[in-house]
Amino acid sequence: MGSLKSLECEYPIIDSDFQNFCASHGIFSVEDILIHDLYMLVAFAEQQSTSERLKQGITQILSIIDGQHQPWLNGMELLEDAQQNKQVLSTGCEGIDMLLQGGLCVGHLTELVGPSSSGKTQICLKVASGVATRYMGGVVFIDTGNSFSPLRIAHFINQIPDTIFKENILEKVMSQILCHSVFDIFAMLDVVHQLEYSLRSQVQTGADQVRLLIVDSISSLITPILGGSGSHGRALMISAGFLLKKLAHEHNLAVVVTNHMVGGEGGILKPALGESWKSIPHVRLLLSRDPGSSICHMSILKHSYMASGRAARFMI
Amino acid sequence: MELARLPISASQRGKLISAGYTSLSSLSSLSPSTLAQDLKISDNEALEILRVVSQGSRLDKPDGSHAIVNGAQTAWDMLHEEESLKCITTSCVDLDDILGGGIKCKEVTEIGGVPGIGKTQLGIQLAVNVQIPVYYGGLGGKAIYIDTEGSFMLERALQIAKACIEDMSGNSDFLQKDFQSCQVKAQPKDFLQNIFYFRVCSYTEQIAMINYLDKFISEHKDVNVVIIDSVTFHFRQDFDDLALRTRLLSGMALKLMKLAKKFSLAVVLLNQVTTKHTEGSFQLTLALGDSWSHSCTNRVILYWNGDERYAYIDKSPSLRSASAPYSVTGKGIRTATSKCKRIKIM
């Protein structure tokens, strides 16, 4: 939380008098208060002439600390939240919807992993166009490989039944889909923070609410910094993962990221980004495509409440 | 932790956290000298850190417009922009067809094939074709050719440029266009003047070159294509640390993507092939491994089919997978006719 000095602007009760009092007991930052014996501190404060203000200051700091953690929720509140806010978004592809028992879960981080040219970007584009059309929700597409193709999106939108009959639907739906190109991890974190800020501050009603965030592909942002000397690459990867999960849960979004595969032992392909990343997404789906055909094969590697190993075949 | 999203070095971050600064707001109203004293670093370093912090916190508030995210475009706007983007023709009708008009700008296209299939020829053809003036349907731009293998031949480029000019004037006579400006006939030498050629001899030079391209292209705004022939050469031999190779390659791929997007140019990477042992059989795949295969927007594989040269779209976000024949003639890359035969080496 930082030093007591920096809190002075926001909380005028923590004035220099209070800071001097704390300094005389060796307390310079909020962390120091946490490890200090509070009863002793209050007792010392009572002996001072300005005891009321000092005690108010201590209470203020304790309330700041209290505001830092998420509120406690019991099981019933969580269930209510899940039933009311966390719906399932259909992906637009029947095979995937059947496999996932409805589609993408809101509040979950879903990872699509597969070798090159297996259809990951195509599925992302299809899901984006589906969510924008069916739920009239906003979609934010973070693109790292210049593979966002508006033509393909228009094509998918026209494929959805009933859309051809409504006029101007194409413009309306495509204006809901925002695409941002990023080329390094810090830029992506900036975009996600901006999104979080605007979701928190704007009161969003029905039509414009962002429902889906897609990052294609997160592995191309993380691979240049992973490994080497120092573990800050891995730390960035894990904090990015947690940020996406937090965004999904607090603002009721579905988040989809794509990952590629690398060679493992014996030449068998395995998902990139290593062991630490494995536990971060809620749902991991493995994609593959028979060479030369347009039939994709998808299986569940990991899911919160479904057995892994279930598979489906479908066509894009 | 908020500090994790700032692009500062790990040691600076460590010093900030141990001094008690863990959020952006605690740093926003600080003066550089106070920060320098607290962290025991130089004034310049403190100034640098505060500059990064102010950039970060400025981005947090989207400016005036109701854009949710700064710098994002809606798909509708991009659709209209895409319609006005031109493609670089390859001079082969079938190939242009499967590519949707030609090599697209704002995208990174990887072209790979066995030795002798015509990759360098295609590269030189594209470097010439990008200079076709706008009134003939081209881009009228310049080309950057980064040569890592030394396979760029001046005489061949001259030959291809001459053939291109002949084709253009042949077309203009046919269409009876009456432009005063094109009465001055273009010379093959002018075409060569618009190709910026760089020769790199090691992987460090290659990475330095790509880092330098940003500055170079800002000064030469009419560059429309960057061709790297071949992107794999210096990374294949004698690279002991494979993890380092992966990091360098993926970093390079991101920089090229950024260049393509920022300056609206086409980036063409020529790649070699290697054999891969999968499921008991040997397959020819593009070099540099699986992680590199995700670093391009489109991928085209050139292969022999009997005696004919074929191109196959392996990866593309908007194009269908298809094959098309082409041929390499004295004039450069042209549409295949049934007479073209592979020269058999006895």
Side-chain angles (χ1 to χ4, degrees), chain A residues 2 116 122 145 177 179-180 190 194, chain B residues 20 59 70 73 75 297 299 317:
Chain A
S116 174
Q122 294 300 309
I177 304 177
C179 174
H180 192 108
D190 277 340
Q194 259 182 50
Chain B
L59 286 173
N70 283 342
Q73 278 183 301
T297 313
R299 188 159 51 242

Side-chain angles (χ1 to χ4, degrees), chain A residues 183-310:
Chain A
F183 303 104
D184 66 86
I185 184 103
F186 298 110
M188 188 202 87
L189 289 174
D190 277 340
V191 170
V192 175
H193 275 278
Q194 259 182 50
L195 182 61
E196 191 184 12
Y197 184 82
S198 65
L199 283 174
R200 243 185 305 154
S201 54
Q202 287 174 11
V203 176
Q204 296 191 328
T205 56
D208 283 343
Q209 196 180 25
V210 175
R211 307 300 303 274
L212 180 64
L213 171 66
I214 300 178
V215 183
D216 178 22
S217 65
I218 204 167
S219 52
S220 57
L221 294 176
I222 296 174
T223 326
I225 51 170
L226 205 56
S229 61
S231 57
H232 50 271
R234 195 162 352 123
L236 267 175
M237 170 176 85
I238 295 183
S239 56
F242 280 141
L243 185 60
L244 290 171
K245 288 206 288 190
K246 180 175 153 210
L247 196 66
H249 181 80
E250 283 183 3
H251 300 281
N252 301 324
L253 304 177
V255 182
V256 178
V257 299
T258 59
N259 191 3
H260 65 266
M261 301 192 90
V262 289
E265 292 166 10
I268 306 172
L269 291 178
K270 62 173 188 183
L273 299 182
E275 294 289 317
S276 329
W277 175 257
K278 260 179 158 173
S279 53
I280 295 182
H282 294 110
V283 178
R284 300 187 90 198
L285 303 168
L286 178 64
L287 270 178
S288 62
R289 188 157 70 117
D290 306 326
S293 82
S294 49
I295 301 194
C296 301
H297 187 99
M298 182 190 273
S299 62
I300 301 183
L301 281 178
K302 175 188 172 194
H303 199 288
S304 306
Y305 52 80
M306 272 196 267
S308 58
R310 293 178 46 180

